[in-house]
Amino acid sequence: MTQARPSCALDSERVQQLLLCSREAQKAAYCPYSRFPVGAALLTRDGRIFSGCNVENACYPLGVCAERTAIQKAISEGHKEFRAIAISSNLQDDFISPCGACRQVMREFGTDWAVYMTKPDGTYVVRTVQELLPASFGPEDLQKIQ
């Protein structure tokens, strides 16, 4: 799929690796209620990949999305700078897109990193966090109040 690449976009080989990791993570999803498995693979600034899947709960609000699972795993191991995240699902006709909560959690760690939204056939679109959450609120905004 040809499209304009954001400045934070990855080379083709790295993209394919990230997409594969997100599809693998999707297989571990615990989603007995929605039956909507999602996987994510997060690339840190130093090249490590952390995967995550959605984990649902009978108390619905306590479920966690794949993107946040991957981010929390990375944070828990001391990584706070990210280059990209890939997200996968079984949606056939649409690219999987992060929910609003996941967009805000991504935003916590910057706006200029890539989000690869995929389809099962391997096609994808890539946007920056800034494009997915324009005019966002972030950590630096808390410094504006004296």
Side-chain angles (χ1 to χ4, degrees), residues 15-70:
V15 169
Q16 291 309 311
Q17 180 185 26
L18 209 56
L19 298 183
L20 177 62
C21 289
S22 72
R23 286 193 296 272
E24 284 299 312
Q26 183 184 342
K27 294 176 185 176
Y30 176 74
C31 52
Y33 310 109
S34 71
R35 292 180 170 61
F36 191 83
V38 179
L42 177 69
L43 178 65
T44 66
R45 185 72 52 203
D46 65 357
R48 290 209 38 205
I49 294 176
F50 290 88
S51 62
C53 62
N54 55 321
V55 180
E56 295 180 348
N57 190 286
C59 182
Y60 291 168
L62 298 181
V64 180
C65 298
E67 301 92 322
R68 285 182 281 155
T69 299

Side-chain angles (χ1 to χ4, degrees), residues 27 38 45 49 51 60 73 85 90 101 112 123 125 135 146:
K27 294 176 185 176
V38 179
R45 185 72 52 203
I49 294 176
S51 62
Y60 291 168
K73 283 172 68 175
I85 191 167
N90 294 329
D112 189 32
T123 58
V125 294
Q146 297 294 338

Side-chain angles (χ1 to χ4, degrees), residues 1-17:
M1 162 168 252
T2 304
Q3 63 182 41
R5 290 170 44 122
S7 62
C8 58
L10 307 174
D11 64 70
S12 179
E13 185 177 314
R14 197 59 150 164
V15 169
Q16 291 309 311
Q17 180 185 26

Side-chain angles (χ1 to χ4, degrees), residues 123-144:
T123 58
Y124 62 86
V125 294
V126 60
R127 300 288 184 269
T128 64
V129 173
Q130 175 65 36
E131 290 171 317
L132 292 176
L133 196 63
S136 63
F137 181 84
E140 65 281 356
D141 293 304
L142 295 174
Q143 305 305 314
K144 296 176 183 176

Side-chain angles (χ1 to χ4, degrees), residues 58-112:
C59 182
Y60 291 168
L62 298 181
V64 180
C65 298
E67 301 92 322
R68 285 182 281 155
T69 299
I71 291 169
Q72 291 165 356
K73 283 172 68 175
I75 295 299
S76 73
E77 294 195 25
H79 299 270
K80 296 181 182 78
E81 295 182 4
F82 308 127
R83 293 181 59 198
I85 191 167
I87 310 161
S88 64
S89 77
N90 294 329
L91 283 177
Q92 298 294 319
D93 298 327
D94 297 303
F95 295 101
I96 185 66
S97 180
C99 74
C102 287
R103 292 174 191 216
Q104 184 62 46
V105 169
M106 290 176 194
R107 167 60 182 92
E108 180 73 11
F109 302 99
T111 59
D112 189 32

